[in-house]
Amino acid sequence: MKNIIFRLTEYVYYFSLIGLLILYLFQGSLMGYFLFGNLGQQPNLIVNPIGTSINHLICFSYITILAIIIRPRIKNIFTSYKIILFTSCIMEILHFIVPNRAFELYDLIANITGVVIVLLIKNFIIGFFIINYPT
C-alpha cells in the first residue's frame, strides 16, 4: 500500500511539473480561459493586495512539498530543490519572450519564496526532531 501511495505521489509531482510548464509558457492565461472565458484574466486563488503573485507562491510551495516527499526514494535532477529554484526563475524570465505574457518581479519573488519557505520549514522540523530526540 505504501508503494502505491508513493508511486501516486510521484506521478502527481511529474504531472504537476508538466502542467506548470504548460501554464507558464502558454500565450495567455489558461486558467483564466477555463474559469472566466478570458485569456487575459488571471484568477486569484486568495484575494490579497499583491495580486496574482500569491498564486505563484502557492504553486511553487506545492511543487517543492511534492519534491521533498519523493526525493528520499527518487534522487534525480527533477527532484532537486536547486533545479526547482532555477526553474522558478527561468520560467518567469521566459515571460519576456512568450507573447501575451509579461515578466513581473513580484511573481519571480513569489516563486523563489514559495520554494525557500518550504525548505526552511523542512529544515526547522528536521532540526527540531534531531535536537529533541531522546538518545
Side-chain angles (χ1 to χ4, degrees), residues 3 13-14 22 33 42 44-45 49 53 62 64-65 72 77 82 93-94 101 104 110 118 120 130-131:
N3 197 29
Y13 174 70
Y14 289 119
I22 291 169
Y33 179 74
Q42 292 282 343
N44 270 338
L45 297 177
S53 294
Y62 161 76
T64 306
I65 289 169
I77 194 166
K82 292 174 186 174
I93 291 169
L94 284 174
R101 298 303 296 257
E104 292 186 31
V118 170
L120 288 174
I130 289 173
I131 292 170

Side-chain angles (χ1 to χ4, degrees), residues 63-83:
I63 292 289
T64 306
I65 289 169
L66 289 175
I68 287 171
I69 291 169
I70 67 171
R71 179 86 175 148
R73 289 181 70 188
I74 298 177
K75 294 185 186 209
N76 64 29
I77 194 166
F78 297 111
T79 60
S80 167
Y81 72 89
K82 292 174 186 174
I83 292 300

Side-chain angles (χ1 to χ4, degrees), residues 10-23:
E10 180 186 2
Y11 290 132
V12 167
Y13 174 70
Y14 289 119
F15 283 122
S16 295
L17 282 179
I18 292 168
L20 185 67
L21 283 170
I22 291 169
L23 289 173

Side-chain angles (χ1 to χ4, degrees), residues 9-121:
T9 305
E10 180 186 2
Y11 290 132
V12 167
Y13 174 70
Y14 289 119
F15 283 122
S16 295
L17 282 179
I18 292 168
L20 185 67
L21 283 170
I22 291 169
L23 289 173
Y24 255 86
L25 300 178
F26 188 76
Q27 300 174 8
S29 171
L30 273 178
M31 290 177 64
Y33 179 74
F34 290 127
L35 295 174
F36 310 116
N38 183 355
L39 284 171
Q41 185 176 358
Q42 292 282 343
N44 270 338
L45 297 177
I46 299 172
V47 178
N48 63 83
I50 60 171
T52 60
S53 294
I54 196 79
N55 297 355
H56 295 251
L57 186 131
I58 292 168
C59 183
F60 277 96
S61 295
Y62 161 76
I63 292 289
T64 306
I65 289 169
L66 289 175
I68 287 171
I69 291 169
I70 67 171
R71 179 86 175 148
R73 289 181 70 188
I74 298 177
K75 294 185 186 209
N76 64 29
I77 194 166
F78 297 111
T79 60
S80 167
Y81 72 89
K82 292 174 186 174
I83 292 300
I84 297 171
L85 271 172
F86 177 75
T87 302
S88 73
C89 295
I90 290 300
M91 289 206 300
E92 190 61 39
I93 291 169
L94 284 174
H95 282 178
F96 278 123
I97 60 173
V98 175
N100 299 323
R101 298 303 296 257
F103 171 83
E104 292 186 31
L105 183 60
Y106 286 133
D107 290 351
L108 178 62
I109 292 169
N111 292 356
I112 294 168
T113 303
V115 175
V116 170
I117 285 174
V118 170
L119 292 173
L120 288 174
I121 291 170

